[in-house]
Amino acid sequence: MDPFPKEGESAAAGEPSRGTAPSSGVVVQVREKKGPLRAAIPYMPFPVAVICLFLNTFVPGLGTFVSAFTVLCGARTDLPDRHKCCVFWLNIAAALIQILTAIVMVGWIMSIFWGMDMVILASKYS
């Protein structure tokens, strides 16, 4: 039996029926809803995103602070209806949150995840 079901099949398709209804073939799409801070992460070139991740790993918030300036240089975000200055200040706010909460490790962890999101977005962009 194939461990991964093919498109349109359920995992139990190869097993005998145990009183469950057959698969109806409904496709469900899941879309992540981002908050304004998360949506303000800019789509940067891959090398810049990796540098920001490196900076965020060793100095919490520094990579996020640097990424804020890429917005002013024309980097695209998931907030197309907001002005560049507004998105810039959202990134500065995220950097300040990371710096101020790094003392209790929350900001440091947030900073690393923020940097990973930057790299993920950069890999999708290129």
Side-chain angles (χ1 to χ4, degrees):
M1 183 174 138
D2 189 15
F4 301 104
K6 294 182 178 123
E7 189 176 22
E9 290 183 354
S10 69
E15 298 176 5
S17 177
R18 295 184 185 153
T20 59
S23 160
S24 64
V26 176
V27 177
V28 177
Q29 183 178 5
V30 177
R31 203 175 275 187
E32 179 184 8
K33 183 177 180 182
K34 296 180 179 181
L37 279 181
R38 180 76 71 180
I41 297 174
Y43 289 81
M44 299 176 280
F46 191 77
V48 177
V50 170
I51 290 170
C52 288
L53 170 60
F54 181 79
L55 291 172
N56 270 350
T57 302
F58 295 105
V59 182
L62 184 59
T64 307
F65 184 76
V66 169
S67 75
F69 289 96
T70 64
V71 173
L72 296 178
C73 294
R76 188 174 64 83
T77 65
D78 287 333
L79 294 172
D81 55 336
R82 300 250 179 127
H83 194 268
K84 285 183 184 180
C85 287
C86 180
V87 177
F88 169 77
W89 286 112
L90 282 171
N91 278 293
I92 295 295
L96 288 175
I97 291 169
Q98 292 168 8
I99 291 167
L100 294 174
T101 59
I103 299 166
V104 290
M105 296 298 290
V106 173
W108 203 339
I109 294 167
M110 178 185 174
S111 185
I112 292 170
F113 277 106
W114 218 259
M116 289 171 27
D117 281 345
M118 290 178 201
V119 171
I120 290 168
L121 289 174
S123 66
K124 288 180 181 178
Y125 180 69
S126 59

